[in-house]
Amino acid sequence: MRRKRKDSSYLNKLVNKFSRLKEKTDNPNNRNRKTNLRAKPVFSDTSRFKKNEQALQRSRQEFIGLFKNSPEALAYTDMDGIVLEVNKRFEELFGYELEEMRGKHIEKILTNWHTQILGSDRVFTDLELIAKKKNDKLIHVSVSVTLNQVNGEITGKIFLLNDITNRKENETINNVLYNISRAANSDISLTQLYPVIREELSTIIDTTNFYIALFDEEKNKLYFSYYADETGERDKDFLVSKYSISDSIFSYIFKTGDSLLLNYSKYKRMIDRGDFNSYDVITNKQIWLGVPLKIENKIIGSMILQSYTDPNLYSKKDIKLMEFVSQQIATAIERKQAEEKLKFLSLYDHLTKLPNRVLFYDRMKQEIAYAKREKKKFALMFLDLDNFKEVNDKFGHDIGDQLLQEVAKKFNELLREADTICRLGGDEFIILLPRLRKPRENAVDVARKILHSLGEPFLIKGNQIHITTSIGIALYPDDGEEGEILIKSADKAMYSAKKEGSNNYHWAEFKLT
């Protein structure tokens, strides 16, 4: 059997006590009637009357004690919701004294009370409503309503009110963290996760101006990864240069692990002390709230909220809130980073960050399907760096790896976004040139640009390195209708180019159809 809640049983006890008190008053046996005076001596009735009066007085005092000293806030109203009595806890919770509430409607504090509920004769338990205190602060309350009945007649209502603001806030925070965690475990990217984090946090704190900076372990540098700024600054390069430098407030929070709540005076004082530099024009209307993004003892970045217009927007309480949620946010970000890193490694070359064989073959398959359907042509280039082994032997493999990275950068600069450049392994590369208007002319133009660009020397760690390449070019479907055949055709053409001399290109043999 379901047990009754404490507050409901307390209300029932209170109402029963009040009902018994009224019933004793209205009982005929407690009245001094003429028939009784004739039948019994006057002193006997007088003695009984005094005893009943004493019992009634004790019951009245018990009822008043239960009502006034209840640990829960209580209000007694008539059936229309007009307040007749409130207890001490009610006065403490809402800030109103009895005389300020007496004669007022209960809706003075219960702002979202439903009139159809108020006008009914039903009993309600644990209604979750919004209440307004005397200072206009809104709080969440749990409301239970019990009807007071005397001799079968409903004479009023007793309201029991509990402040559940902390519980509701915790529920909201847990919901925010759950939604962020769920988003982090979904298929969205890290870039898509940031707006979700900001939107979810906006339900518990103002995120109008919201910034995240993360630490890149490979580059040993803090970088500016996400922002939302109401001032209209949309130049990300400018913001990155402004916030990612080593003496910014983001770096200070990351290095120290300290949370900051800064008004104008504190902000200026820390700047004057040399804790960090500011690259903005600041005013006395601004406030900053910053926390480290920490997972246990590891800090992965920093997060800052800011207001340009309300210096009282954030408080010390918000520091604790943001410190708590920042741990969950850091966990979500790191999880998504690890997921994207694994995905990247499965599709891209670790050294050059170029697409690997898996991604290249997938894109080539899609282009073959398109070209076959639309009766189009596309070009495939096979490239091999000339004398790359000599670079490794002379300067070492570390310099050789950096050379491959610089070559990859040049390829990316020369090619279109629609093109795909893949590192097959070692010093071999393959390029897919799709959707060409003039396949032969366009392919030759790209080949010449590559030969010219790689003909310029590379400067790596003070070493001037010269490198050239040999290029073989094949066309679909002229030199193969299947991917493997097309690659072999381009590979064979590349070896023909090497035989003709370095820094050269050669076409695959044209097949008459």
Side-chain angles (χ1 to χ4, degrees):
M1 181 180 292
R2 187 178 178 184
R3 298 179 61 184
K4 293 184 177 179
R5 293 178 59 88
K6 177 183 176 182
D7 53 1
S8 298
S9 61
Y10 186 88
L11 274 180
N12 292 333
K13 180 179 179 181
L14 190 63
V15 171
N16 290 337
K17 173 64 69 175
F18 189 69
S19 299
R20 288 196 301 272
L21 171 63
K22 297 291 289 181
E23 287 169 359
K24 286 182 180 181
T25 305
D26 297 334
N27 194 319
N29 294 328
N30 296 329
R31 295 174 182 171
N32 198 3
R33 302 194 310 175
K34 290 183 179 180
T35 53
N36 292 336
L37 290 175
R38 292 177 185 152
K40 297 179 181 179
V42 173
F43 70 87
S44 176
D45 284 322
T46 302
S47 175
R48 185 180 294 111
F49 177 78
K50 288 182 178 180
K51 288 181 180 180
N52 289 336
E53 280 293 313
Q54 291 173 355
L56 290 173
Q57 185 63 25
R58 283 196 300 270
S59 295
R60 185 180 295 109
Q61 292 302 320
E62 287 178 15
F63 172 78
I64 293 173
L66 285 170
F67 186 89
K68 288 291 185 182
N69 300 313
S70 167
E72 280 88 14
L74 295 174
Y76 180 55
T77 75
D78 64 14
M79 290 304 295
D80 294 324
I82 302 302
V83 176
L84 304 175
E85 290 286 339
V86 298
N87 69 348
K88 293 179 181 178
R89 178 59 188 139
F90 183 100
E91 293 176 331
E92 293 170 355
L93 178 58
F94 295 103
Y96 289 104
E97 295 183 0
L98 171 59
E99 294 308 317
E100 294 177 288
M101 284 301 301
R102 183 175 285 161
K104 302 295 190 302
H105 201 282
I106 193 67
E107 287 184 343
K108 185 177 181 67
I109 60 162
L110 297 179
T111 59
N112 63 340
W113 181 261
H114 302 293
T115 54
Q116 62 270 28
I117 297 176
L118 183 61
S120 71
D121 57 357
R122 290 172 53 195
V123 172
F124 298 97
T125 303
D126 296 333
L127 297 174
E128 293 188 358
L129 304 173
I130 302 295
K132 182 187 288 187
K133 302 176 74 167
K134 186 177 179 179
N135 61 7
D136 290 331
K137 181 180 179 181
L138 298 179
I139 61 173
H140 293 273
V141 291
S142 171
V143 182
S144 296
V145 184
T146 298
L147 303 178
N148 183 45
Q149 299 186 43
V150 178
N151 297 330
E153 180 183 356
I154 300 175
T155 60
K157 299 182 178 183
I158 296 179
F159 289 75
L160 185 150
L161 306 102
N162 278 314
D163 185 356
I164 59 171
T165 302
N166 289 338
R167 192 194 82 193
K168 296 295 290 185
E169 288 178 350
N170 290 336
E171 288 176 358
T172 302
I173 292 171
N174 289 335
N175 189 55
V176 166
L177 297 179
Y178 170 77
N179 290 338
I180 291 174
S181 177
R182 184 175 64 178
N185 285 292
S186 69
D187 294 332
I188 67 174
S189 66
L190 181 58
T191 302
Q192 293 170 314
L193 178 62
Y194 293 133
V196 174
I197 292 173
R198 181 194 174 213
E199 182 178 355
E200 289 297 330
L201 286 179
S202 69
T203 63
I204 57 176
I205 196 168
D206 190 290
T207 59
T208 303
N209 300 291
F210 179 72
Y211 317 85
I212 290 178
L214 299 176
F215 184 68
D216 188 328
E217 293 183 352
E218 291 184 2
K219 297 180 179 179
N220 193 33
K221 182 180 179 182
L222 199 70
Y223 68 97
F224 188 65
S225 55
Y226 178 77
Y227 75 96
D229 194 294
E230 67 180 333
T231 61
E233 289 184 346
R234 293 295 179 265
D235 185 345
K236 188 172 183 180
D237 292 335
F238 172 72
L239 288 172
V240 168
S241 64
K242 184 169 67 174
Y243 289 125
S244 298
I245 54 180
S246 60
D247 62 350
S248 70
I249 186 173
F250 284 93
S251 294
Y252 178 84
I253 294 173
F254 170 74
K255 291 175 182 177
T256 63
D258 294 336
S259 298
L260 297 177
L261 178 63
L262 303 176
N263 57 19
Y264 173 78
S265 299
K266 291 180 181 178
Y267 192 83
K268 286 284 290 181
R269 189 158 58 248
M270 292 188 72
I271 292 173
D272 294 340
R273 198 166 60 200
D275 292 329
F276 53 82
N277 288 321
S278 175
Y279 299 89
D280 293 311
V281 176
I282 61 175
T283 71
N284 58 8
K285 293 183 178 180
Q286 289 176 256
I287 190 169
W288 296 261
L289 172 58
V291 293
L293 290 170
K294 184 186 298 185
I295 304 173
E296 295 180 349
N297 295 323
K298 177 185 177 183
I299 300 176
I300 68 168
S302 51
M303 179 169 59
I304 289 181
L305 305 173
Q306 179 184 1
S307 173
Y308 292 98
T309 58
D310 185 357
N312 300 311
L313 183 59
Y314 305 118
S315 65
K316 290 183 179 180
K317 180 182 177 182
D318 293 322
I319 293 180
K320 297 296 182 183
L321 170 64
M322 291 305 295
E323 286 178 338
F324 176 71
V325 300
S326 67
Q327 296 179 39
Q328 315 304 317
I329 291 172
T331 301
I333 290 175
E334 188 176 61
R335 183 188 299 124
K336 184 58 69 174
Q337 284 178 324
E339 176 187 308
E340 292 193 348
K341 186 175 182 179
L342 288 174
K343 184 178 179 180
F344 181 87
L345 292 176
S346 68
L347 297 174
Y348 291 85
D349 174 56
H350 175 69
L351 178 64
T352 62
K353 304 300 186 290
L354 295 176
N356 62 14
R357 290 172 179 263
V358 176
L359 183 55
F360 181 83
Y361 274 78
D362 180 67
R363 291 182 179 176
M364 182 174 64
K365 182 179 178 181
Q366 293 180 37
E367 188 58 27
I368 288 175
Y370 169 82
K372 184 180 293 185
R373 183 176 65 252
E374 301 295 330
K375 296 183 172 21
K376 300 288 185 179
K377 295 184 178 184
F378 66 86
L380 202 68
M381 290 183 171
F382 202 105
L383 299 86
D384 182 84
L385 299 183
D386 300 321
N387 303 318
F388 180 72
K389 184 177 181 301
E390 296 178 5
V391 174
N392 279 333
D393 292 342
K394 183 177 181 180
F395 299 102
H397 288 278
D398 181 52
I399 297 294
D401 287 345
Q402 290 188 48
L403 176 61
L404 290 174
Q405 291 172 338
E406 292 300 319
V407 168
K409 288 179 182 178
K410 287 205 172 187
F411 285 152
N412 282 325
E413 292 170 359
L414 294 171
L415 298 175
R416 302 171 302 169
E417 188 174 342
D419 301 332
T420 299
I421 169 71
C422 163
R423 182 190 177 209
L424 288 177
D427 61 341
E428 291 184 335
F429 299 86
I430 192 166
I431 299 175
L432 174 67
L433 301 173
R435 319 291 165 96
L436 300 176
R437 292 183 179 181
K438 297 178 179 180
R440 283 188 172 271
E441 292 87 336
N442 296 151
V444 168
D445 184 52
V446 172
R448 288 173 176 169
K449 286 181 178 179
I450 291 174
L451 294 173
H452 176 74
S453 179
L454 295 188
E456 299 174 355
F458 291 87
L459 185 63
I460 300 175
K461 290 187 175 180
N463 300 299
Q464 194 174 63
I465 301 174
H466 295 269
I467 195 76
T468 58
T469 185
S470 298
I471 305 173
I473 310 173
L475 282 181
Y476 173 90
D478 306 51
D479 303 310
E481 295 185 4
E482 296 180 4
E484 288 295 340
I485 295 176
L486 202 61
I487 291 175
K488 287 180 181 179
S489 296
D491 186 19
K492 186 178 179 181
M494 182 271 296
Y495 278 104
S496 297
K498 277 190 178 293
K499 289 178 182 179
E500 294 175 3
S502 61
N503 204 38
N504 198 5
Y505 71 89
H506 196 281
W507 281 95
E509 294 181 4
F510 182 76
K511 293 183 179 180
L512 295 175
T513 56

